[in-house]
Amino acid sequence: QWYQRRVHGKQWYQRRVHGESCLCSEGDTMWGRIVLLLTLFSSSQAIFKYPWYASCKINWEIPETCQAFKTKIINQMNAWQGDSLCPSTSNSCPQLPCGQNCLYEFKESSQNYIYGTHQTPVARYTDDLTFQLTDNGSGGCSVAAKSNSQTWYAVLDYGTNYCNLRNLVDGAGLSAAAGFAEETRNSVCTQY
């Protein structure tokens, strides 16, 4: 049982269990709960192998300049804008989704940054796409790409956020170039 009491103007709680008592302040119990939650959160990452929300981070080495990469990715987003290219079912794909090469939207860019969105063709969930570009010093471009679900409760995505990014570099012809390299893993890319 907990008993409230005030000592020197501060709220304290006294607990009696089996004849023993503990005098604790509100802050003591709050910090104890915070420490417990942080411990559970950090240890659960070893059990749950994906990010805590549907997302994907990918690092690419592109054997072209950052300006060329930026131009090709923006052009690909614009080419796949709208739903006219959205897939339908076929003998080889009897159930949607059969492709995600539609519903991209370029939003903005700066010298070393691209931002856009992609909607899933069936449920129309929106994912944010960002590309951070860095000149690698040898005429190529290092790209840190990220796709995040805007749906706060989305945890597993069957690789959708990975495909949001990979489809663009494939469609733009960047992944077929000699010297293209990709690095990602399950801990930063949901169901990769």
Side-chain angles (χ1 to χ4, degrees), residues 2 9 11 43 61 79 82-83 107 109-110 119 123 126 132-133 152:
W2 289 88
Q11 186 81 20
S43 64
E61 289 301 320
D83 63 2
K107 296 288 191 178
S109 70
S110 64
Q119 284 188 324
T126 302
Q132 187 69 46
L133 317 177
W152 66 269

Side-chain angles (χ1 to χ4, degrees), residues 16-20:
R16 286 195 188 279
V17 178
H18 304 294
E20 303 211 8

Side-chain angles (χ1 to χ4, degrees), residues 50-91:
Y50 303 117
W52 282 101
Y53 57 93
S55 62
C56 186
K57 294 179 186 176
I58 303 175
N59 292 317
W60 289 312
E61 289 301 320
I62 306 294
E64 297 188 26
T65 66
C66 289
Q67 182 58 46
F69 175 86
K70 184 166 85 170
T71 300
K72 288 182 177 183
I73 290 296
I74 292 171
N75 287 345
Q76 195 61 58
M77 283 188 197
N78 289 333
W80 288 346
Q81 192 170 9
D83 63 2
S84 64
L85 297 172
C86 283
S88 59
T89 59
S90 67
N91 289 338

